């Protein structure tokens, strides 16, 4: 079976990525690489709070097709609306910590919920947000619990939501998908 992040990428590609998109949790740059490599994507915003993550991602991404489309932002994803002024066709959140960085620096429920709410506002009709959640560590568990409940109360008139997760593995990463209908 594919890794959860590869499944997330497949989901994003199915929606026909175009225009402006965002990688709200840059890390090593793998989500960004997929986004910038799509031919109809014109601009990619890439956020991270760790300078090391941005430098590592730049090194990984440099020379790849679409690198010039990326705007790297050393700031938390909760500040996205300060930087993104145009509508987004898609965005991805890969919550948790940067595996090659300081594991004490992790996404937090308060800033993550603000970031996702803002991302929904920036999303175009027909746009999609993909949230990759990691309930296997303390903050990840809190984020997972919050988003699982919050997504259930999003009005179905405006959003279609789905969850993809392994049924026989406890605490494994999983995906929440939000499509904006109107």
């Amino acid at each position: 079976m594919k890794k959860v992040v590869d499944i997330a990428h497949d989901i994003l590609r199915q929606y026909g990525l175009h225009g402006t998109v965002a990688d709200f949790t840059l890390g090593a740059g793998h989500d960004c690489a997929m986004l910038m490599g799509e031919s109809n994507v014109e601009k990619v915003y890439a956020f991270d709070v760790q300078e090391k993550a941005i430098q590592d991602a730049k090194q990984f991404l440099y020379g790849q097709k679409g690198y010039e489309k990326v705007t790297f932002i050393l700031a938390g994803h909760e500040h996205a609306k300060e930087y993104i002024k145009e509508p987004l066709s898609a965005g991805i959140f890969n919550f948790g910590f940067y595996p090659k960085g300081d594991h004490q620096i992790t996404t937090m429920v308060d800033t993550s919920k603000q970031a996702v709410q803002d991302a929904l506002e920036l999303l175009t009709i027909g746009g999609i947000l993909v949230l990759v959640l990691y309930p296997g560590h303390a903050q990840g568990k809190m984020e997972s619990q919050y988003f699982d409940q919050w997504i259930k109360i999003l009005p179905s008139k405006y959003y279609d939501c789905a969850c993809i997760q392994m049924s026989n593995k406890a605490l494994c990463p999983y995906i929440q998908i939000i499509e904006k209908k109107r």
Side-chain angles (χ1 to χ4, degrees), residues 99-123:
K100 294 180 183 177
D102 181 349
H103 290 202
Q104 298 302 309
I105 301 173
T106 182
T107 55
M108 306 290 281
V109 175
D110 289 340
T111 55
S112 294
K113 67 183 182 181
Q114 182 64 54
V116 172
Q117 289 170 348
D118 289 350
L120 278 183
E121 288 178 29
L122 291 165
L123 206 60

Side-chain angles (χ1 to χ4, degrees), residues 22 24 77-78 80-81 84 86-93 112-124 127-131 150 159 178 180:
F24 290 99
H77 51 210
E78 71 275 16
K81 285 175 76 175
I84 303 172
E86 62 265 49
L88 296 174
S89 70
I92 185 166
F93 291 85
S112 294
K113 67 183 182 181
Q114 182 64 54
V116 172
Q117 289 170 348
D118 289 350
L120 278 183
E121 288 178 29
L122 291 165
L123 206 60
T124 61
I128 184 172
L129 288 181
V130 173
L131 286 59
W150 180 75
Y159 304 100
I178 307 170
K180 190 172 189 176

Side-chain angles (χ1 to χ4, degrees), residues 22 34 49 115:
M34 184 278 304
V49 296

Side-chain angles (χ1 to χ4, degrees), residues 4 11 13 20-21 34 42 44 78-79 92 125 144 178:
V4 70
I11 292 164
R13 284 188 191 103
T20 302
V21 299
M34 184 278 304
E42 297 166 8
V44 180
E78 71 275 16
H79 300 287
I92 185 166
I125 303 300
S144 298
I178 307 170

Side-chain angles (χ1 to χ4, degrees), residues 8-17 34-35 90-92 128 130:
H9 292 177
D10 289 347
I11 292 164
L12 285 165
R13 284 188 191 103
Q14 277 185 303
Y15 277 83
L17 296 169
M34 184 278 304
L35 294 170
I92 185 166
I128 184 172
V130 173

Side-chain angles (χ1 to χ4, degrees), residues 19-54:
T20 302
V21 299
D23 179 349
F24 290 99
T25 50
L26 178 63
H30 296 284
D31 295 334
C32 189
M34 184 278 304
L35 294 170
M36 71 186 208
E38 294 295 304
S39 60
N40 290 327
V41 167
E42 297 166 8
K43 187 169 196 172
V44 180
Y45 287 96
F47 292 85
D48 209 292
V49 296
Q50 294 186 66
E51 179 69 37
K52 177 176 176 30
I54 290 180

